[in-house]
Amino acid sequence: MSQKVVIALGGNAILQPKQEATYENQLENVRKSSEIIARIVKNGHTVIVTHGNGPQVGNILRQNEEAKDVVPPFPLDVCSAESQGFIGYMMDQTLKNELHKLGLGNHVVSILTQTEVSKNDPAFDDPSKPIGVFYSEEEAKNLAEEKNWVVKEDAGRGWRRVVASPMPKSILGSDIIKKLADNRAIVIAAGGGGIPVVKNEDGSLSGIEAVIDKDRSAFRLAEEVKSDVFMILTDVQNVYVNYGKPSQKALTHVTLEEAKKYVEEGQFSAGSMGPKMEAAIKFAEQGGRAIICSLDQADLAMEGKAGTHITN
């Protein structure tokens, strides 16, 4: 049966750990991802794709810092838009190519997407998301004073700028994304969690310096386009409990109650699987099917043959 699925690609779909961030390497990784997504389309499903952008934004920020004496640096929301643009271009092109190989003529559309957050979100009172390059303590504190940044020491590796990670209120343009998907177009949207914006008192929008968690935005997108399936692709085949211990167990088909119990037990790291499970549980609460699986098994997971499935 044809289903509408929002696919949230992890960072490894664009850049592998320790891999040089050349355009050629990233394009080939995206091509491999598109090959798998095209198979899901061939099986009759409607697909909306969202993706991470952490390493890419980090590199754009570094380019800004390295060239700041020659070219004025841009704010973080603009850097997020830049990353959405070039990743969207790679996905748009490779998806069209892979669909063509399969004899499919679906339209592919990449949408530069803004995500509304609240300027009163408590995350702005305690910025915690590290971004960009590492500095010495002296450099970091000088930059904090010069640019009004918040800087923190990052796990013994050096000092970095930290920004707020507010909750997404809504995906702007989700009604258009839904209409396109309902007409069998493949839509690439809300990359990197979306470009963070706030709504002013007069109804106008303004960009704000923040980073939105991509899995939380992907859930919001899946909710607003009324998706049947919400699929989070990562670098492991399943979600595990007791991870790294002799009693480690892969989860396959999990009820909502079981998933919530594992979260209460503290089974999932706040920095990796925690936000993914949070988003998956919220989607399952609304009656949908949430899947967390590896990229290379996404088509099998759609058939229920791989990954971790959470249902109400």
Side-chain angles (χ1 to χ4, degrees), residues 59-221:
N59 287 335
I60 290 169
L61 287 168
R62 183 171 184 181
Q63 289 171 339
N64 275 349
E65 284 300 306
E66 295 288 341
K68 65 186 176 184
D69 297 328
V70 181
V71 180
F74 287 159
L76 180 55
D77 54 308
V78 176
C79 295
S80 176
E82 285 187 35
S83 71
Q84 257 197 45
F86 91 78
I87 295 170
Y89 160 61
M90 290 192 296
M91 288 190 173
D92 188 302
Q93 185 180 85
T94 55
L95 270 168
K96 283 172 177 166
N97 290 342
E98 294 303 321
L99 292 167
H100 178 71
K101 288 179 187 176
L102 296 174
L104 300 173
N106 301 64
H107 292 288
V108 182
V109 182
S110 178
I111 296 182
L112 198 66
T113 316
Q114 300 173 68
T115 299
E116 184 187 351
V117 301
S118 170
K119 62 179 70 176
N120 298 317
D121 192 296
F124 288 108
D125 297 326
D126 183 26
S128 59
K129 179 72 174 176
I131 60 167
V133 298
F134 290 90
Y135 301 99
S136 68
E137 183 175 356
E138 183 182 0
E139 287 174 321
K141 290 184 175 178
N142 286 339
L143 284 166
E145 188 173 339
E146 176 190 338
K147 296 178 177 290
N148 199 28
W149 285 359
V150 177
V151 295
K152 291 182 181 178
E153 197 273 333
D154 185 5
R157 298 179 294 174
W159 287 69
R160 297 175 81 185
R161 180 187 178 190
V162 292
V163 297
S165 184
M167 297 294 288
K169 287 181 66 179
S170 67
I171 308 299
L172 303 185
S174 60
D175 51 343
I176 300 300
I177 294 167
K178 181 180 183 299
K179 285 178 183 177
L180 287 165
D182 289 345
N183 283 281
R184 307 296 291 171
I186 299 166
V187 187
I188 303 153
I195 305 160
V197 298
V198 294
K199 190 169 284 187
N200 303 309
E201 289 182 6
D202 64 359
S204 63
L205 300 170
S206 299
I208 194 164
E209 301 240 318
V211 172
I212 306 167
D213 182 87
K214 63 179 173 51
D215 295 316
R216 288 172 177 158
S217 282
F219 156 70
R220 186 67 66 204
L221 178 63

Side-chain angles (χ1 to χ4, degrees), residues 254-257 260 281 283-290 310-312:
V254 184
T255 65
L256 195 52
E257 290 72 21
K260 288 180 177 178
I281 286 169
F283 188 75
E285 282 178 331
Q286 298 182 3
R289 177 167 60 121
I310 303 169
T311 52
N312 189 346

Side-chain angles (χ1 to χ4, degrees), residues 223-242:
E223 176 186 50
E224 292 182 6
V225 301
K226 296 180 169 49
S227 181
D228 302 301
V229 180
F230 175 37
M231 177 181 285
I232 301 175
L233 302 186
T234 183
D235 54 359
V236 292
Q237 294 184 352
N238 294 84
V239 178
Y240 295 88
V241 291
N242 302 323

Side-chain angles (χ1 to χ4, degrees), residues 21-33:
T22 65
Y23 174 72
E24 291 76 15
N25 283 342
Q26 294 179 84
L27 182 65
E28 177 57 18
N29 291 333
V30 170
R31 187 201 64 76
K32 290 176 181 175
S33 303

